Amino acid sequence: VELTLYMKMIVNPLQQLGNVFNIIQRSRASLDRMDQLLSIQSDIQDEEQATDLPPDALDIEIRDLSFTYPEANRMALQQISLRLAPGQTLGIVGKTGSGKSTLAKLLLRVYNPPRNTIFIGGKDIIDLKLGSLRTQLSYVPQDGFLFSTTIGDNIAFSNRKAQLNQVEQAARQAEVYDHIALFPKGFGTKLGERGLTLSGGQRQRTSIARGFMKDAPILILDDSVSAVDSITESRILSNLRRIRAGQTTVIIAHRISAVKHADLILVLDNGVIVERGTHQELLTQGGEYATLCMIQEGGEADDQTAE
């Protein structure tokens, strides 16, 4: 009887000891993967003589920019040239794969553009420190990544010391405040992985609020209102023009309504600028932009072109 009792008592510790060995083996494999990840050196590095970007008068100039992705067999952008004065708004439209997001990635130096092609504040971005460059830019992608933390922390990601009233103001500007207020814990509501607690439109607007919260001299919206309805989009864009007055904004979109108020609109096709001008100028040309506008707005573009 004693032997049986002792055997019964020892079974559980032995099982736990086996579990410990299993956990150690899994942890060792995970640690090896982490070491491999942390040992990877970024392809984008600061140049030896890199300088900081001044925070004022940030104009954008692109000179004959052509770019091909590594290991790609065709150019993503070809001979792109433009100048955007401080405080102006640039709209970029075009078909899927026309190079719109590529241009945004080059401005952020996710990929290095050729030297002497992109200038911000009069300086070649290759000669700027990455930290300084990206501090002066705010980027809102189409599928904004939300962290598994509270809504308030996600909005205040660029300024962890921000007050609640600042977070609420950014949410109002992004037209998401009323939706957040309906949650029992409001801005203290914890999100699931990648923001699964929110709908697609709410995730986009939360990302836009985060972009507004940063209040950088240059804001890039990369098709960031594609998941919201037309009325909400109109309100967001109205707020954008009001709060970004005097600051540079780049709006990449498929909808004409998102860019029609821009100071300069580019139409890209296969990495080439096929049309440029203001909304009215492009409608008068009767080209691809006017056709796209007519399709989206149910014939309004045709009427304006005829006038």
Side-chain angles (χ1 to χ4, degrees):
V1 172
E2 288 183 355
L3 178 62
T4 303
L5 289 174
Y6 287 141
M7 291 293 292
K8 185 176 181 181
M9 292 171 62
I10 202 173
V11 167
N12 192 46
L14 287 174
Q15 288 178 338
Q16 292 179 350
L17 185 61
N19 290 335
V20 168
F21 281 118
N22 286 335
I23 292 172
I24 290 174
Q25 293 298 323
R26 290 199 302 267
S27 299
R28 180 176 296 172
S30 299
L31 182 60
D32 289 342
R33 295 191 189 101
M34 288 184 60
D35 287 339
Q36 292 174 9
L37 179 64
L38 294 174
S39 65
I40 296 174
Q41 295 294 322
S42 173
D43 293 333
I44 310 300
Q45 299 285 343
D46 286 336
E47 299 291 325
E48 291 185 4
Q49 304 299 324
T51 59
D52 290 327
L53 179 65
D56 54 348
L58 295 184
D59 62 306
I60 298 175
E61 185 178 3
I62 300 177
R63 302 175 186 171
D64 199 24
L65 167 65
S66 295
F67 176 76
T68 303
Y69 282 105
E71 301 182 2
N73 55 12
R74 70 179 186 89
M75 285 187 175
L77 294 172
Q78 300 180 50
Q79 297 180 328
I80 304 296
S81 296
L82 65 93
R83 180 177 177 82
L84 195 65
Q88 288 189 320
T89 298
L90 171 67
I92 305 175
V93 297
K95 302 173 184 176
T96 301
S98 60
K100 303 185 299 298
S101 295
T102 299
L103 187 56
K105 291 176 182 177
L106 292 177
L107 287 170
L108 293 162
R109 280 188 69 189
V110 176
Y111 295 93
N112 264 340
R115 182 173 286 278
N116 296 323
T117 55
I118 299 181
F119 297 82
I120 296 181
K123 295 187 176 183
D124 190 338
I125 64 172
I126 300 297
D127 296 324
L128 297 173
K129 292 181 179 178
L130 281 171
S132 174
L133 172 67
R134 292 172 180 172
T135 298
Q136 304 301 325
L137 276 73
S138 181
Y139 176 62
V140 183
Q142 179 179 4
D143 185 19
F145 187 95
L146 297 182
F147 300 97
S148 184
T149 182
T150 66
I151 298 176
D153 286 343
N154 270 284
I155 294 176
F157 180 74
S158 61
N159 182 10
R160 303 301 178 86
K161 297 181 180 180
Q163 301 296 317
L164 179 59
N165 64 326
Q166 295 175 290
V167 175
E168 291 177 345
Q169 179 65 19
R172 287 190 177 94
Q173 293 166 348
E175 296 296 327
V176 73
Y177 176 85
D178 292 340
H179 294 269
I180 296 175
L182 294 176
F183 291 115
K185 294 184 180 180
F187 286 87
T189 302
K190 289 215 170 177
L191 301 180
E193 192 66 32
R194 296 182 65 89
L196 292 180
T197 308
L198 304 177
S199 68
Q202 289 170 341
R203 286 198 296 271
Q204 273 199 343
R205 282 175 282 172
T206 302
S207 297
I208 293 172
R210 184 162 59 191
F212 287 165
M213 187 76 188
K214 187 175 181 180
D215 193 30
I218 298 175
L219 172 64
I220 302 174
L221 300 177
D222 190 355
D223 208 11
S224 305
V225 291
S226 60
V228 301
D229 60 87
S230 299
I231 295 176
T232 304
E233 176 195 60
S234 177
R235 291 173 179 169
I236 293 173
L237 294 174
S238 177
N239 294 337
L240 175 69
R241 291 193 296 273
R242 176 173 51 82
I243 66 178
R244 296 286 303 176
Q247 294 178 301
T248 306
T249 306
V250 178
I251 303 175
I252 299 170
H254 285 93
R255 293 180 184 173
I256 297 298
S257 56
V259 301
K260 65 193 304 182
H261 299 289
D263 299 292
L264 173 65
I265 301 172
L266 303 180
V267 182
L268 293 182
D269 188 16
N270 291 323
V272 179
I273 299 176
V274 294
E275 297 179 28
R276 70 170 69 207
T278 63
H279 176 70
Q280 290 299 329
E281 289 172 349
L282 292 174
L283 288 181
T284 303
Q285 293 177 19
E288 185 174 332
Y289 181 90
T291 301
L292 183 61
C293 187
M294 181 178 63
I295 293 172
Q296 293 185 5
E297 300 185 0
E300 291 181 15
D302 189 51
D303 295 339
Q304 294 182 43
T305 304
E307 293 176 2

